[in-house]
Amino acid sequence: MAEDQTALRVVLLGPPGAGKGTQARLLAEDFHLLHLSTGDILREEVAKETALGKEAKGYMDKGELVPDSLIVAMIEERIGEGKQGFLLDGFPRTVGQAEALERALQRRSLSLNACLLFEIDDEEVVMRLSGRRVCSKNPSHIYHLQFDPPKRPEVCDQDGAPLRQREDDREETIRRRLEVYHQQTEPLISFYEERGILRRYNASRSVEELHNLIRADLAALRLEGELAAGA
Ligand code: AMP
């Protein structure tokens, strides 16, 4: 397969709670991209009690990373599905995963267009995540006690189900997730900087502001690709 110059293949990098998932959902819709969130895929596997889910749960509840071998296979299976490109949210999280992704893309004669780095202070992450509540019936219905409270306390506006806190959104676990991010994921900043594809964003901006900025950058990037393909 020759490299498709008009597709967008993008990695979202940043600590938990930086807003990668929110932006990924918006951008996937803007550009018709496949949104792959390893956290969401794993949570689904846990809910369905699959073998992978059972193995992953212990790591997730403690805020530790699930072993690379399990994650890489999960992503490799899926990246081919995004014909117009993909947004990877929460992957890669280690240099080993980044290298495996690079090899998987090379085998398809493809490469990444951009790595978007979401920069935010640890204390802001703790504040954002410890106030997060999710619907017990549909975890994509997300609230925040301070910034986006439900109309009735502890009840989902959309389906009336009780809200709950994700096991890994407890303060102690959030702090462990941040430590894991600094130790194991931050080295990816220089990995992608060396490849000349890193773009930095201040993730403490509002959702809308950040979305507008990234959307403009990705539109320009796609246009460059289209011009190169047409040349
Ligand atoms: P997230 O929703 O992206 O914060 O992911 C929740 C949890 O899933 C993480 O704390 C890890 O335990 C696990 N996880 C998600 N993505 C990865 C990954 N790329 N590598 C290892 N573990 C992951």
Side-chain angles (χ1 to χ4, degrees):
M1 197 193 333
E3 169 139 18
D4 179 355
Q5 304 266 24
T6 62
L8 282 173
R9 285 173 290 273
V10 177
V11 161
L12 278 66
L13 184 64
K20 303 186 298 295
T22 304
Q23 295 297 331
R25 274 186 282 279
L26 295 168
L27 296 163
E29 210 171 289
D30 296 333
F31 295 98
H32 309 290
L33 304 174
L34 175 70
H35 170 203
L36 289 176
S37 154
T38 41
D40 285 350
I41 300 171
L42 288 170
R43 278 184 287 277
E44 247 172 62
E45 299 281 335
V46 171
K48 285 195 272 180
E49 299 184 5
T50 63
L52 169 61
K54 283 182 189 154
E55 195 165 351
K57 188 175 187 312
Y59 297 99
M60 294 170 75
D61 285 350
K62 284 190 284 209
E64 304 290 338
L65 293 186
V66 174
D68 283 0
S69 53
L70 298 178
I71 298 286
V72 168
M74 209 171 85
I75 283 288
E76 280 204 31
E77 262 172 38
R78 291 168 168 87
I79 47 174
E81 292 163 19
K83 296 289 169 247
Q84 305 196 46
F86 53 73
L87 287 165
L88 299 182
D89 158 16
F91 176 91
R93 256 177 156 101
T94 63
V95 172
Q97 291 179 14
E99 288 169 346
L101 172 65
E102 200 167 60
R103 286 194 298 272
L105 290 174
Q106 273 166 4
R107 281 197 293 277
R108 296 168 165 83
S109 307
L110 298 174
S111 57
L112 290 174
N113 301 104
C115 170
L116 316 178
L117 175 63
F118 286 53
E119 296 181 300
I120 187 165
D121 288 344
D122 284 5
E123 290 314 309
E124 197 172 338
V125 165
V126 173
M127 197 174 67
R128 283 186 181 190
L129 292 185
S130 55
R132 180 160 72 177
R133 295 292 180 274
V134 298
C135 170
S136 52
K137 218 158 113 190
N138 182 343
S140 71
H141 302 158
I142 300 170
Y143 301 85
H144 192 282
L145 295 182
Q146 236 175 314
F147 310 122
D148 183 19
K151 292 195 185 79
R152 280 191 295 152
E154 301 296 323
V155 175
C156 179
D157 292 348
Q158 298 185 59
D159 55 25
L163 300 183
R164 63 177 189 86
Q165 185 175 42
R166 260 170 57 176
E167 195 63 40
D168 58 351
D169 280 346
R170 297 180 197 282
E171 180 165 345
E172 209 184 276
T173 318
I174 298 168
R175 296 215 181 263
R176 177 63 193 144
R177 288 163 73 196
L178 282 166
E179 218 175 86
V180 168
Y181 173 76
H182 293 306
Q183 284 168 1
Q184 302 194 51
T185 310
E186 243 169 27
L188 294 182
I189 299 175
S190 48
F191 182 93
Y192 287 120
E193 215 161 28
E194 281 163 20
R195 281 151 181 79
I197 59 168
L198 189 81
R199 289 163 183 260
R200 293 173 184 268
Y201 297 90
N202 173 352
S204 51
R205 291 172 187 279
S206 73
V207 169
E208 199 186 347
E209 255 183 308
L210 189 57
H211 176 214
N212 288 339
L213 272 175
I214 302 179
R215 186 178 47 198
D217 285 354
L218 290 187
L221 205 61
R222 188 157 72 176
L223 190 62
E224 274 171 33
E226 283 169 359
L227 290 174

